[in-house]
Amino acid sequence: MKEMLLAAQRDGYGVGAFNIVNEQTARACIALAEEMRAPMLLQTSMVPLSVYGPEGMMDLLRPLAEKARVPVAVHLDHCTDPDFVKRCIDAGFTSVMMDASKLPPEENIAVTRDVVDYAHARGAVVEGELGAIVKAKDDLAARQSGEGAVSLEAARDYMARTGVDAFAPAVGTAHGLYRGEPKLNFELVRAIVALGMAPLVVHGGTGLSDENFRKLIAAGASKINISTAIKIAYYEGIAGYIQAHPDEKEQPLAIDQAAIAAVQDVVRRHIALFGTAHRV
């Protein structure tokens, strides 16, 4: 992951980090990455891992990533349990996110530093989070008031003391579907990137306008997370097919293909928007 993000930061584009939930979504994402000659991050969150387990998930994803004709890295998204993060590293994840952002700052730094040391000793890299990247369903006014915001000084201290390889600060985005227009702090993004300490990650990408995506990438954001849009597309692909073909109850593979096509529409749009196409 780190090499991908440093290249993106240098050349002014963003790498899409797409949250997959199973083999179908993983294959859909990789196929689009190959078609568009784009580097890609496949992310998995704790929900799929509760089904597959870290070892089972890597048994699924490692061969797909290794056989891909473009660079594909497998990344653990938001995990609040340092022991589970270490288990994922041991299972073969080369990139992990230690999300200790809900802890007091000093505890966040200590927990994240411990995971960074563990990961680096095993050839893996770590993303860390500082500030409150809340749920989009939470009160928009509270987010726009600056609640949970990160200062440049706090960001510098966090990156210096943790040694994270990628940094996810609270800059006004949120997870899930926005209920209003988010107020993004582009100046803070530019200032953090200018420190040159770690590539910057944007969480809460689903629902941002094309203009905001472009402005974030122009400000220096290197990794853009897309999760909710993938899940919605997967669901709507299946639901749409079943609604249009109510009597085709013996065609499960056709349902899979409908879901894959819907997911690929989302991935295709974001790869093009982020400027990642034809980078490899």
Side-chain angles (χ1 to χ4, degrees):
M1 179 184 77
K2 187 173 183 178
E3 289 77 9
M4 285 187 195
L5 301 189
L6 289 173
Q9 183 173 285
R10 181 190 67 233
D11 295 335
Y13 60 91
V15 176
F18 300 98
N19 280 62
I20 57 89
V21 297
N22 55 18
E23 182 175 358
Q24 289 93 326
T25 48
R27 288 185 180 275
C29 289
I30 290 176
L32 255 295
E34 292 179 332
E35 175 186 316
M36 300 180 76
R37 306 304 302 167
M40 176 177 285
L41 287 162
L42 289 185
Q43 294 189 155
T44 182
S45 67
M46 294 300 294
V47 175
L49 286 172
S50 69
V51 176
Y52 289 90
E55 298 79 12
M57 183 62 79
M58 284 308 299
D59 286 345
L60 169 65
L61 296 182
R62 183 187 289 109
L64 298 179
E66 290 177 348
K67 293 176 182 178
R69 298 191 299 274
V70 295
V72 174
V74 179
H75 177 71
L76 169 67
D77 199 15
H78 290 278
C79 184
T80 60
D81 180 352
D83 291 333
F84 194 86
V85 173
K86 293 175 182 178
R87 179 182 166 189
C88 288
I89 294 169
D90 292 341
F93 280 78
T94 58
S95 178
V96 296
M97 181 185 184
M98 179 64 242
D99 182 1
S101 60
K102 291 185 179 180
L103 298 176
E106 288 298 320
E107 291 183 39
N108 182 351
I109 290 170
V111 169
T112 304
R113 177 77 239 187
D114 176 64
V115 169
V116 167
D117 290 342
Y118 189 91
H120 286 180
R122 292 157 179 80
V125 297
V126 179
E127 174 186 334
E129 181 174 321
L130 184 66
I133 304 175
V134 298
K135 298 285 187 182
K137 65 182 180 181
D138 294 340
D139 181 57
L140 180 65
R143 290 190 285 108
Q144 291 187 333
S145 71
E147 182 179 327
V150 172
S151 70
L152 182 60
E153 294 73 20
R156 180 190 290 111
D157 182 63
Y158 175 88
M159 288 187 285
R161 293 172 63 190
T162 60
V164 289
D165 304 279
F167 178 48
V171 295
T173 56
H175 298 114
L177 294 175
Y178 293 100
R179 292 183 174 180
E181 183 66 22
K183 184 178 180 181
L184 307 183
N185 192 336
F186 300 106
E187 291 184 7
L188 179 60
V189 172
R190 283 190 288 270
I192 292 173
V193 171
L195 294 173
M197 300 176 74
L200 189 139
V201 180
V202 173
H203 285 250
T206 294
L208 291 182
S209 67
D210 289 0
E211 179 185 6
N212 277 336
F213 276 128
R214 293 190 184 101
K215 289 172 70 175
L216 284 166
I217 292 169
S222 303
K223 176 177 181 276
I224 315 292
N225 287 14
I226 302 295
S227 176
T228 303
I230 296 288
K231 298 168 188 173
I232 291 173
Y234 185 80
Y235 174 88
E236 290 183 345
I238 293 174
Y241 185 88
I242 292 174
Q243 184 176 13
H245 306 87
D247 298 323
E248 294 186 16
K249 298 178 181 179
E250 298 179 1
Q251 300 296 330
L253 294 181
I255 295 174
D256 283 348
Q257 289 304 311
I260 288 170
V263 168
Q264 288 186 326
D265 285 344
V266 171
V267 175
R268 182 182 291 106
R269 186 179 81 82
H270 286 95
I271 287 176
L273 179 61
F274 298 164
T276 325
H278 305 293
R279 295 289 178 175
V280 294

